[in-house]
């Protein structure tokens, strides 16, 4: 009996979603609708793992992510991994949601774990890491270091504050402003690449 390679299944799933998106971007409304429906399943699983303590919030956030994907569809490039592109949008929306929630409650929810949007493909290319490093280098230390320590290394806000010499609130502000700056940088890059 032959075993199915989970990585191959995940790669095939991504290629199928990418094909639907590209057909949708070329004007095929049925393919685009199918893309959003299939993507919703992945986004829902991604968010359910991260909002396990607040399952009632998942559906609204799924819709927000799908709307953000729809609104940003013109920024997607065919040579770009769909996983990384959608996951960046989903993480940004999740961060916004948790930040809004944190204003109402004094606790933080971890944004990162070892799973990704398409069930942990682990196939995010090395280029994405290099791109992220280059983008982070453009940020001031007050934004870059909190993102690196909290979002990439998984330290708590308090641990990052001790390491950087910033206050906990300055670390949170640095993350917030740094993520917004990264989004602007990414938007600027994709605009330059389309020109």
């Amino acid at each position: 009996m032959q075993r199915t390679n989970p990585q191959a299944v995940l790669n095939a799933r991504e290629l199928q979603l990418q094909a639907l998106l590209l057909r949708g971007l070329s004007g095929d409304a049925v393919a685009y609708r199918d893309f959003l429906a299939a993507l919703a399943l992945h986004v829902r699983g991604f968010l359910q793992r991260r909002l396990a303590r607040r399952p009632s919030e998942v559906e609204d956030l799924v819709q927000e992510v799908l709307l953000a994907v729809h609104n940003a569809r013109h920024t997607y490039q065919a040579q770009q991994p769909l996983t990384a592109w959608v996951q960046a949008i989903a993480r940004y929306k999740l961060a916004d949601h948790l930040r809004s929630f944190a204003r109402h409650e004094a606790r933080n929810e971890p944004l990162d774990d070892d799973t990704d949007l398409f069930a942990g493909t682990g196939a995010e290319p090395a280029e994405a890491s290099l791109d992220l490093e280059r983008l982070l280098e453009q940020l001031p230390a007050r934004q870059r270091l909190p993102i690196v320590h909290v979002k990439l290394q998984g330290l708590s806000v308090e641990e990052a504050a001790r390491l950087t010499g910033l206050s906990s609130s300055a670390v949170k502000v640095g993350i917030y402003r740094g993520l917004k700056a990264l989004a602007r940088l990414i938007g600027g890059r994709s605009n330059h690449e389309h020109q």
Side-chain angles (χ1 to χ4, degrees):
M1 189 165 93
Q2 188 175 4
R3 299 187 119 208
T4 304
N5 178 344
Q7 187 63 47
V9 170
L10 294 170
N11 289 341
R13 192 176 300 152
E14 177 162 349
L15 289 173
Q16 178 186 23
L17 282 170
Q18 183 182 42
L20 287 171
L21 173 59
L22 293 174
R23 285 177 27 215
L25 292 175
S26 297
D28 184 338
V30 173
Y32 188 66
R33 188 174 56 241
D34 290 346
F35 163 74
L36 289 175
L39 184 61
L41 296 174
H42 295 291
V43 170
R44 188 172 290 111
F46 175 81
L47 294 173
Q48 283 172 337
R49 289 188 299 273
R50 286 155 178 81
L51 294 172
R53 293 185 205 134
R54 298 192 296 275
S56 64
E57 299 170 23
V58 170
E59 283 309 310
D60 286 342
L61 198 50
V62 167
Q63 296 308 312
E64 283 186 43
V65 170
L66 292 178
L67 182 60
V69 166
H70 174 75
N71 289 336
R73 68 191 183 281
H74 66 281
T75 67
Y76 180 71
Q77 299 172 355
Q79 71 276 15
Q80 176 180 28
L82 181 65
T83 304
W85 182 74
V86 173
Q87 191 165 331
I89 293 170
R91 285 186 188 277
Y92 183 79
K93 282 295 178 186
L94 180 60
D96 275 352
H97 177 77
L98 293 175
R99 198 170 18 260
S100 161
F101 185 79
R103 287 185 197 120
H104 296 66
E105 268 190 34
R107 65 184 171 108
N108 290 322
E109 195 70 34
L111 291 181
D112 297 319
D113 62 19
D114 291 336
T115 59
D116 70 27
L117 184 66
F118 293 117
T121 64
E124 291 185 5
E127 302 94 55
S129 292
L130 291 173
D131 285 346
L132 179 59
E133 287 176 25
R134 286 187 204 112
L135 289 169
L136 283 170
E137 287 171 3
Q138 297 178 49
L139 298 179
R142 291 179 65 85
Q143 294 173 359
R144 180 181 65 253
L145 294 176
I147 290 173
V148 168
H149 292 313
V150 176
K151 301 301 179 194
L152 300 179
Q153 295 174 344
L155 300 179
S156 71
V157 170
E158 291 73 24
E159 290 170 322
R162 280 194 297 276
L163 276 173
T164 60
L166 299 171
S167 68
S168 292
S169 61
V171 168
K172 291 177 187 176
V173 168
I175 292 169
Y176 174 77
R177 289 181 179 162
L179 291 176
K180 286 189 92 73
L182 285 174
R184 282 193 304 273
L185 289 170
I186 291 168
R189 269 182 58 196
S190 62
N191 288 340
H192 289 302
E193 290 167 358
H194 283 296
Q195 293 174 354

